Short mmCIF file of all heavy atoms in Angstrom, two decimals:
data_model
loop_
_atom_site.label_atom_id
_atom_site.label_comp_id
_atom_site.label_asym_id
_atom_site.label_seq_id
_atom_site.Cartn_x
_atom_site.Cartn_y
_atom_site.Cartn_z
N MET A 222 19.54 15.72 6.94
CA MET A 222 18.13 15.69 6.70
C MET A 222 17.84 14.90 5.42
O MET A 222 18.47 15.16 4.36
CB MET A 222 17.59 17.15 6.57
CG MET A 222 16.11 17.15 6.29
SD MET A 222 15.31 18.76 6.65
CE MET A 222 15.72 19.67 5.19
N ARG A 223 16.80 14.06 5.50
CA ARG A 223 16.42 13.25 4.29
C ARG A 223 15.48 14.11 3.47
O ARG A 223 14.59 14.84 3.94
CB ARG A 223 15.72 12.00 4.71
CG ARG A 223 16.64 11.00 5.42
CD ARG A 223 15.96 9.77 5.77
NE ARG A 223 16.94 8.86 6.30
CZ ARG A 223 16.61 7.66 6.84
NH1 ARG A 223 15.36 7.27 6.81
NH2 ARG A 223 17.50 6.91 7.38
N THR A 224 15.64 13.98 2.15
CA THR A 224 14.80 14.75 1.24
C THR A 224 13.88 13.73 0.54
O THR A 224 14.01 12.52 0.61
CB THR A 224 15.64 15.43 0.15
OG1 THR A 224 16.31 14.41 -0.68
CG2 THR A 224 16.61 16.36 0.73
N PHE A 225 12.88 14.33 -0.16
CA PHE A 225 11.95 13.40 -0.93
C PHE A 225 12.78 12.62 -1.95
O PHE A 225 12.47 11.44 -2.14
CB PHE A 225 10.85 14.27 -1.66
CG PHE A 225 10.04 13.48 -2.60
CD1 PHE A 225 9.01 12.76 -2.10
CD2 PHE A 225 10.29 13.44 -3.94
CE1 PHE A 225 8.19 11.97 -2.92
CE2 PHE A 225 9.52 12.70 -4.79
CZ PHE A 225 8.45 12.00 -4.28
N ALA A 226 13.70 13.32 -2.61
CA ALA A 226 14.44 12.61 -3.59
C ALA A 226 15.27 11.36 -3.04
O ALA A 226 15.39 10.28 -3.66
CB ALA A 226 15.44 13.56 -4.29
N ASP A 227 15.78 11.59 -1.84
CA ASP A 227 16.47 10.47 -1.15
C ASP A 227 15.59 9.32 -0.88
O ASP A 227 15.86 8.17 -1.19
CB ASP A 227 17.13 10.97 0.23
CG ASP A 227 18.22 11.97 0.03
OD1 ASP A 227 18.89 11.99 -1.09
OD2 ASP A 227 18.44 12.76 0.99
N ALA A 228 14.41 9.63 -0.36
CA ALA A 228 13.46 8.59 0.04
C ALA A 228 12.93 7.88 -1.25
O ALA A 228 12.84 6.63 -1.26
CB ALA A 228 12.33 9.17 0.81
N ALA A 229 12.64 8.67 -2.26
CA ALA A 229 12.16 8.06 -3.55
C ALA A 229 13.25 7.16 -4.15
O ALA A 229 12.87 6.08 -4.64
CB ALA A 229 11.77 9.19 -4.48
N GLY A 230 14.51 7.58 -4.05
CA GLY A 230 15.55 6.75 -4.59
C GLY A 230 15.72 5.48 -3.87
O GLY A 230 15.83 4.38 -4.50
N ARG A 231 15.60 5.47 -2.58
CA ARG A 231 15.68 4.27 -1.73
C ARG A 231 14.53 3.36 -2.06
O ARG A 231 14.68 2.12 -2.31
CB ARG A 231 15.74 4.57 -0.27
CG ARG A 231 17.12 5.01 0.24
CD ARG A 231 17.17 5.09 1.76
NE ARG A 231 16.16 5.85 2.34
CZ ARG A 231 16.08 7.18 2.48
NH1 ARG A 231 17.13 7.83 2.01
NH2 ARG A 231 15.11 7.80 3.08
N LEU A 232 13.28 3.89 -2.13
CA LEU A 232 12.09 3.08 -2.45
C LEU A 232 12.15 2.52 -3.84
O LEU A 232 11.80 1.34 -4.09
CB LEU A 232 10.88 3.93 -2.32
CG LEU A 232 10.40 4.17 -0.87
CD1 LEU A 232 9.29 5.15 -0.78
CD2 LEU A 232 10.08 2.83 -0.09
N ALA A 233 12.63 3.32 -4.78
CA ALA A 233 12.75 2.84 -6.16
C ALA A 233 13.79 1.66 -6.22
O ALA A 233 13.55 0.68 -6.91
CB ALA A 233 13.20 3.96 -7.10
N GLY A 234 14.83 1.80 -5.51
CA GLY A 234 15.91 0.68 -5.39
C GLY A 234 15.29 -0.57 -4.87
O GLY A 234 15.45 -1.67 -5.33
N PHE A 235 14.56 -0.40 -3.76
CA PHE A 235 13.87 -1.52 -3.14
C PHE A 235 12.89 -2.21 -4.12
O PHE A 235 12.84 -3.40 -4.28
CB PHE A 235 13.15 -1.03 -1.87
CG PHE A 235 12.20 -2.07 -1.29
CD1 PHE A 235 12.66 -3.07 -0.50
CD2 PHE A 235 10.85 -2.09 -1.57
CE1 PHE A 235 11.82 -4.03 0.02
CE2 PHE A 235 9.99 -3.06 -1.12
CZ PHE A 235 10.51 -4.07 -0.21
N ALA A 236 12.03 -1.36 -4.75
CA ALA A 236 11.04 -1.85 -5.67
C ALA A 236 11.69 -2.67 -6.81
O ALA A 236 11.24 -3.70 -7.20
CB ALA A 236 10.17 -0.78 -6.22
N GLY A 237 12.81 -2.14 -7.23
CA GLY A 237 13.56 -2.91 -8.34
C GLY A 237 14.19 -4.18 -7.89
O GLY A 237 14.07 -5.24 -8.52
N ALA A 238 14.94 -4.07 -6.76
CA ALA A 238 15.70 -5.19 -6.31
C ALA A 238 14.87 -6.33 -5.71
O ALA A 238 15.08 -7.47 -5.95
CB ALA A 238 16.71 -4.71 -5.23
N VAL A 239 13.86 -5.95 -4.88
CA VAL A 239 13.08 -6.91 -4.16
C VAL A 239 11.79 -7.33 -4.94
O VAL A 239 11.45 -8.50 -4.99
CB VAL A 239 12.70 -6.37 -2.76
CG1 VAL A 239 11.80 -7.33 -2.02
CG2 VAL A 239 13.97 -6.07 -1.98
N LEU A 240 11.15 -6.35 -5.55
CA LEU A 240 9.89 -6.65 -6.22
C LEU A 240 10.05 -6.94 -7.71
O LEU A 240 9.17 -7.41 -8.34
CB LEU A 240 8.90 -5.41 -6.01
CG LEU A 240 8.61 -4.99 -4.56
CD1 LEU A 240 7.69 -3.79 -4.52
CD2 LEU A 240 7.99 -6.18 -3.80
N GLY A 241 11.19 -6.51 -8.23
CA GLY A 241 11.44 -6.73 -9.69
C GLY A 241 10.73 -5.74 -10.58
O GLY A 241 10.53 -5.95 -11.73
N TRP A 242 10.35 -4.65 -9.93
CA TRP A 242 9.60 -3.57 -10.66
C TRP A 242 10.57 -2.74 -11.48
O TRP A 242 11.72 -2.49 -11.11
CB TRP A 242 8.93 -2.59 -9.70
CG TRP A 242 7.71 -3.11 -9.01
CD1 TRP A 242 7.31 -4.43 -8.93
CD2 TRP A 242 6.82 -2.39 -8.27
NE1 TRP A 242 6.21 -4.57 -8.19
CE2 TRP A 242 5.84 -3.33 -7.73
CE3 TRP A 242 6.71 -1.06 -7.85
CZ2 TRP A 242 4.80 -2.89 -6.90
CZ3 TRP A 242 5.62 -0.64 -7.06
CH2 TRP A 242 4.70 -1.61 -6.62
N SER A 243 10.18 -2.41 -12.74
CA SER A 243 10.98 -1.51 -13.49
C SER A 243 10.76 -0.04 -13.00
O SER A 243 9.86 0.22 -12.19
CB SER A 243 10.45 -1.54 -14.96
OG SER A 243 9.12 -0.97 -15.03
N PRO A 244 11.69 0.86 -13.32
CA PRO A 244 11.47 2.26 -12.93
C PRO A 244 10.08 2.79 -13.29
O PRO A 244 9.37 3.46 -12.53
CB PRO A 244 12.54 3.00 -13.63
CG PRO A 244 13.65 2.02 -13.78
CD PRO A 244 12.93 0.69 -14.08
N ASP A 245 9.57 2.39 -14.50
CA ASP A 245 8.28 2.85 -14.96
C ASP A 245 7.21 2.38 -14.00
O ASP A 245 6.27 3.05 -13.66
CB ASP A 245 8.04 2.48 -16.39
CG ASP A 245 6.74 3.04 -16.94
OD1 ASP A 245 6.62 4.31 -16.97
OD2 ASP A 245 5.89 2.28 -17.37
N ALA A 246 7.26 1.03 -13.66
CA ALA A 246 6.24 0.45 -12.82
C ALA A 246 6.30 1.16 -11.43
O ALA A 246 5.23 1.43 -10.90
CB ALA A 246 6.52 -1.08 -12.60
N PHE A 247 7.49 1.44 -10.95
CA PHE A 247 7.53 2.15 -9.65
C PHE A 247 6.87 3.52 -9.68
O PHE A 247 6.07 3.89 -8.82
CB PHE A 247 8.96 2.31 -9.20
CG PHE A 247 9.13 3.20 -7.96
CD1 PHE A 247 8.90 2.71 -6.76
CD2 PHE A 247 9.64 4.50 -8.13
CE1 PHE A 247 9.04 3.57 -5.64
CE2 PHE A 247 9.70 5.35 -7.07
CZ PHE A 247 9.43 4.82 -5.76
N TRP A 248 7.17 4.30 -10.69
CA TRP A 248 6.66 5.63 -10.85
C TRP A 248 5.18 5.67 -11.15
O TRP A 248 4.51 6.64 -10.90
CB TRP A 248 7.46 6.51 -11.79
CG TRP A 248 8.82 6.83 -11.17
CD1 TRP A 248 10.08 6.35 -11.56
CD2 TRP A 248 9.09 7.70 -10.07
NE1 TRP A 248 11.06 6.84 -10.74
CE2 TRP A 248 10.45 7.69 -9.83
CE3 TRP A 248 8.24 8.45 -9.17
CZ2 TRP A 248 11.06 8.40 -8.75
CZ3 TRP A 248 8.83 9.12 -8.20
CH2 TRP A 248 10.25 9.11 -7.94
N ARG A 249 4.68 4.58 -11.68
CA ARG A 249 3.20 4.55 -12.05
C ARG A 249 2.36 4.10 -10.84
O ARG A 249 1.18 4.23 -10.73
CB ARG A 249 2.97 3.65 -13.20
CG ARG A 249 3.36 4.24 -14.51
CD ARG A 249 3.10 3.22 -15.65
NE ARG A 249 3.39 3.85 -16.97
CZ ARG A 249 2.58 4.41 -17.72
NH1 ARG A 249 1.28 4.51 -17.43
NH2 ARG A 249 2.93 4.94 -18.86
N ALA A 250 3.02 3.45 -9.85
CA ALA A 250 2.35 2.88 -8.74
C ALA A 250 2.02 4.06 -7.72
O ALA A 250 2.79 5.01 -7.63
CB ALA A 250 3.25 1.89 -7.94
N THR A 251 0.87 3.89 -7.07
CA THR A 251 0.55 4.86 -6.07
C THR A 251 1.28 4.46 -4.75
O THR A 251 1.61 3.33 -4.57
CB THR A 251 -0.99 4.84 -5.76
OG1 THR A 251 -1.39 3.58 -5.20
CG2 THR A 251 -1.72 5.11 -7.08
N PRO A 252 1.37 5.44 -3.85
CA PRO A 252 1.90 5.10 -2.51
C PRO A 252 1.15 3.90 -1.86
O PRO A 252 1.75 3.12 -1.22
CB PRO A 252 1.82 6.43 -1.74
CG PRO A 252 1.95 7.46 -2.81
CD PRO A 252 1.17 6.87 -3.92
N ALA A 253 -0.18 3.97 -1.98
CA ALA A 253 -1.00 2.92 -1.38
C ALA A 253 -0.70 1.55 -1.94
O ALA A 253 -0.62 0.55 -1.26
CB ALA A 253 -2.44 3.29 -1.59
N GLU A 254 -0.44 1.51 -3.25
CA GLU A 254 -0.15 0.19 -3.89
C GLU A 254 1.27 -0.29 -3.43
O GLU A 254 1.38 -1.42 -3.03
CB GLU A 254 -0.04 0.40 -5.42
CG GLU A 254 -1.40 0.60 -6.05
CD GLU A 254 -1.42 1.05 -7.47
OE1 GLU A 254 -0.44 1.58 -7.90
OE2 GLU A 254 -2.36 0.70 -8.18
N LEU A 255 2.20 0.58 -3.35
CA LEU A 255 3.55 0.16 -2.88
C LEU A 255 3.46 -0.25 -1.46
O LEU A 255 3.99 -1.27 -1.01
CB LEU A 255 4.57 1.24 -3.03
CG LEU A 255 5.95 1.07 -2.61
CD1 LEU A 255 6.58 -0.20 -3.26
CD2 LEU A 255 6.89 2.27 -2.77
N GLY A 256 2.70 0.52 -0.63
CA GLY A 256 2.49 0.15 0.82
C GLY A 256 1.81 -1.19 0.94
O GLY A 256 2.17 -1.98 1.84
N ALA A 257 0.88 -1.48 0.14
CA ALA A 257 0.09 -2.74 0.25
C ALA A 257 1.06 -3.95 -0.09
O ALA A 257 1.01 -4.99 0.56
CB ALA A 257 -1.04 -2.72 -0.64
N VAL A 258 1.85 -3.72 -1.13
CA VAL A 258 2.83 -4.84 -1.47
C VAL A 258 3.83 -5.04 -0.35
O VAL A 258 4.10 -6.18 0.05
CB VAL A 258 3.55 -4.48 -2.77
CG1 VAL A 258 4.60 -5.48 -3.09
CG2 VAL A 258 2.53 -4.47 -3.98
N VAL A 259 4.34 -3.97 0.20
CA VAL A 259 5.39 -4.14 1.28
C VAL A 259 4.71 -4.79 2.54
O VAL A 259 5.24 -5.64 3.12
CB VAL A 259 5.99 -2.78 1.61
CG1 VAL A 259 6.81 -2.79 2.83
CG2 VAL A 259 6.84 -2.23 0.41
N ALA A 260 3.47 -4.32 2.77
CA ALA A 260 2.76 -4.91 3.98
C ALA A 260 2.50 -6.37 3.76
O ALA A 260 2.69 -7.13 4.78
CB ALA A 260 1.44 -4.15 4.19
N ALA A 261 2.09 -6.71 2.61
CA ALA A 261 1.91 -8.10 2.32
C ALA A 261 3.19 -9.02 2.41
O ALA A 261 3.13 -10.12 2.95
CB ALA A 261 1.23 -8.33 0.89
N MET A 262 4.27 -8.45 1.96
CA MET A 262 5.52 -9.13 2.05
C MET A 262 6.02 -9.28 3.46
O MET A 262 6.69 -10.26 3.81
CB MET A 262 6.58 -8.41 1.21
CG MET A 262 6.36 -8.46 -0.28
SD MET A 262 7.56 -7.69 -1.23
CE MET A 262 9.02 -8.84 -0.93
N THR A 263 5.76 -8.34 4.35
CA THR A 263 6.25 -8.33 5.71
C THR A 263 5.24 -9.00 6.69
O THR A 263 5.52 -9.10 7.88
CB THR A 263 6.58 -6.95 6.18
OG1 THR A 263 5.39 -6.10 6.17
CG2 THR A 263 7.62 -6.28 5.33
N GLY A 264 4.07 -9.37 6.13
CA GLY A 264 3.06 -10.02 7.00
C GLY A 264 2.24 -9.01 7.85
O GLY A 264 1.58 -9.35 8.81
N ASP A 265 2.44 -7.70 7.50
CA ASP A 265 1.84 -6.59 8.31
C ASP A 265 0.52 -6.19 7.64
O ASP A 265 0.30 -5.04 7.33
CB ASP A 265 2.85 -5.45 8.45
CG ASP A 265 2.29 -4.36 9.36
OD1 ASP A 265 1.43 -4.63 10.25
OD2 ASP A 265 2.64 -3.23 9.18
N THR A 266 -0.41 -7.18 7.47
CA THR A 266 -1.62 -6.82 6.80
C THR A 266 -2.78 -6.88 7.84
O THR A 266 -2.73 -7.68 8.78
CB THR A 266 -1.97 -7.90 5.69
OG1 THR A 266 -1.91 -9.21 6.30
CG2 THR A 266 -0.93 -7.83 4.58
N PRO A 267 -3.78 -6.04 7.64
CA PRO A 267 -4.83 -6.04 8.63
C PRO A 267 -5.73 -7.23 8.52
O PRO A 267 -5.77 -7.87 7.49
CB PRO A 267 -5.71 -4.73 8.18
CG PRO A 267 -5.26 -4.50 6.80
CD PRO A 267 -3.96 -5.08 6.60
N THR A 268 -6.42 -7.54 9.58
CA THR A 268 -7.30 -8.68 9.63
C THR A 268 -8.62 -8.23 8.94
O THR A 268 -9.19 -7.14 9.25
CB THR A 268 -7.63 -9.03 11.11
OG1 THR A 268 -6.41 -9.35 11.73
CG2 THR A 268 -8.57 -10.24 11.14
N PRO A 269 -9.12 -9.00 8.07
CA PRO A 269 -10.37 -8.63 7.36
C PRO A 269 -11.56 -8.63 8.33
O PRO A 269 -11.50 -9.27 9.41
CB PRO A 269 -10.58 -9.72 6.36
CG PRO A 269 -9.50 -10.75 6.53
CD PRO A 269 -8.57 -10.27 7.52
N PRO A 270 -12.55 -7.79 8.11
CA PRO A 270 -13.71 -7.68 9.04
C PRO A 270 -14.42 -9.01 9.02
O PRO A 270 -14.54 -9.73 8.02
CB PRO A 270 -14.53 -6.54 8.41
CG PRO A 270 -14.17 -6.52 7.04
CD PRO A 270 -12.78 -6.89 6.97
N ASP A 271 -14.96 -9.34 10.24
CA ASP A 271 -15.80 -10.55 10.34
C ASP A 271 -17.26 -10.20 9.91
O ASP A 271 -17.59 -9.10 9.66
CB ASP A 271 -15.69 -11.17 11.74
CG ASP A 271 -16.22 -10.24 12.82
OD1 ASP A 271 -16.87 -9.17 12.55
OD2 ASP A 271 -15.98 -10.55 14.00
N ALA A 272 -18.10 -11.21 9.90
CA ALA A 272 -19.50 -11.02 9.53
C ALA A 272 -20.21 -10.02 10.35
O ALA A 272 -21.01 -9.24 9.88
CB ALA A 272 -20.21 -12.40 9.57
N ALA A 273 -19.97 -9.99 11.61
CA ALA A 273 -20.64 -9.00 12.54
C ALA A 273 -20.22 -7.54 12.19
O ALA A 273 -21.02 -6.65 12.18
CB ALA A 273 -20.28 -9.30 14.01
N ALA A 274 -18.95 -7.38 11.93
CA ALA A 274 -18.45 -6.03 11.52
C ALA A 274 -19.06 -5.62 10.21
O ALA A 274 -19.45 -4.44 10.05
CB ALA A 274 -16.89 -6.05 11.49
N ILE A 275 -19.18 -6.53 9.29
CA ILE A 275 -19.75 -6.22 8.01
C ILE A 275 -21.26 -5.87 8.15
O ILE A 275 -21.70 -4.85 7.61
CB ILE A 275 -19.54 -7.35 7.01
CG1 ILE A 275 -18.11 -7.45 6.62
CG2 ILE A 275 -20.42 -7.13 5.72
CD1 ILE A 275 -17.78 -8.67 5.82
N ALA A 276 -21.92 -6.55 8.97
CA ALA A 276 -23.38 -6.28 9.24
C ALA A 276 -23.51 -4.90 9.90
O ALA A 276 -24.42 -4.14 9.58
CB ALA A 276 -24.00 -7.36 10.18
N ARG A 277 -22.65 -4.53 10.90
CA ARG A 277 -22.71 -3.19 11.44
C ARG A 277 -22.44 -2.13 10.43
O ARG A 277 -23.15 -1.07 10.35
CB ARG A 277 -21.70 -3.09 12.61
CG ARG A 277 -22.06 -3.87 13.81
CD ARG A 277 -21.18 -3.47 15.06
NE ARG A 277 -19.73 -3.69 14.79
CZ ARG A 277 -19.08 -4.81 14.96
NH1 ARG A 277 -19.77 -5.90 15.44
NH2 ARG A 277 -17.82 -4.92 14.75
N LEU A 278 -21.48 -2.34 9.54
CA LEU A 278 -21.18 -1.37 8.48
C LEU A 278 -22.36 -1.20 7.53
O LEU A 278 -22.71 -0.08 7.09
CB LEU A 278 -19.92 -1.76 7.75
CG LEU A 278 -18.61 -1.58 8.44
CD1 LEU A 278 -17.48 -2.22 7.78
CD2 LEU A 278 -18.35 -0.12 8.71
N GLN A 279 -23.02 -2.38 7.19
CA GLN A 279 -24.15 -2.32 6.30
C GLN A 279 -25.25 -1.52 6.95
O GLN A 279 -26.04 -0.76 6.20
CB GLN A 279 -24.55 -3.68 5.89
CG GLN A 279 -23.65 -4.35 4.93
CD GLN A 279 -23.96 -5.80 4.66
OE1 GLN A 279 -24.41 -6.51 5.53
NE2 GLN A 279 -23.69 -6.28 3.45
N GLU A 280 -25.47 -1.66 8.17
CA GLU A 280 -26.52 -0.99 8.92
C GLU A 280 -26.23 0.57 8.99
O GLU A 280 -27.08 1.37 8.84
CB GLU A 280 -26.72 -1.57 10.30
CG GLU A 280 -27.91 -0.98 11.09
CD GLU A 280 -28.13 -1.62 12.37
OE1 GLU A 280 -28.04 -2.87 12.47
OE2 GLU A 280 -28.40 -0.92 13.33
N ALA A 281 -25.00 0.83 9.29
CA ALA A 281 -24.58 2.24 9.43
C ALA A 281 -24.55 2.94 8.08
O ALA A 281 -24.77 4.11 8.03
CB ALA A 281 -23.19 2.34 10.09
N PHE A 282 -24.19 2.24 6.98
CA PHE A 282 -24.08 2.87 5.75
C PHE A 282 -24.87 2.08 4.68
O PHE A 282 -24.28 1.43 3.76
CB PHE A 282 -22.56 2.91 5.31
CG PHE A 282 -21.75 3.61 6.29
CD1 PHE A 282 -21.02 2.93 7.21
CD2 PHE A 282 -21.70 5.02 6.27
CE1 PHE A 282 -20.09 3.55 8.13
CE2 PHE A 282 -20.87 5.70 7.20
CZ PHE A 282 -20.10 4.98 8.16
N PRO A 283 -26.19 2.16 4.73
CA PRO A 283 -27.00 1.42 3.72
C PRO A 283 -26.85 1.92 2.34
O PRO A 283 -26.66 3.16 2.18
CB PRO A 283 -28.36 1.56 4.24
CG PRO A 283 -28.36 2.83 5.07
CD PRO A 283 -27.02 2.91 5.64
N ASP A 284 -26.90 1.05 1.37
CA ASP A 284 -26.81 1.49 0.01
C ASP A 284 -28.11 2.03 -0.58
O ASP A 284 -28.12 2.61 -1.72
CB ASP A 284 -26.32 0.31 -0.89
CG ASP A 284 -24.87 -0.06 -0.70
OD1 ASP A 284 -24.11 0.72 -0.16
OD2 ASP A 284 -24.47 -1.20 -0.99
N GLY A 285 -29.11 1.93 0.13
CA GLY A 285 -30.43 2.49 -0.27
C GLY A 285 -31.16 1.49 -1.00
O GLY A 285 -32.04 1.36 -1.60
#
């Protein structure tokens, strides 16, 4: 069974070896920040919304 410590150790090693992050940088990063960097490196990034989607969102959630 994998533990949190095991997973954190693997991710810290990845962040250091691949991203060049220091241990301090790794532990200060949020999971979302680490995930965004990994997604960008692997090309697994979402497609930004187009103008029509933005218009629908502005209509549904007006700023007032």
Side-chain angles (χ1 to χ4, degrees):
M222 180 164 79
R223 293 183 178 173
T224 66
F225 173 81
D227 294 334
R231 281 192 305 281
L232 285 172
F235 169 83
V239 176
L240 305 176
W242 289 10
S243 67
D245 186 57
F247 171 78
W248 287 110
R249 287 177 177 265
T251 66
E254 290 168 333
L255 180 58
V258 171
V259 171
M262 291 181 69
T263 61
D265 187 23
T266 56
T268 303
D271 61 12
I275 292 172
R277 286 192 304 273
L278 288 168
Q279 287 175 325
E280 186 175 318
F282 303 100
D284 289 341

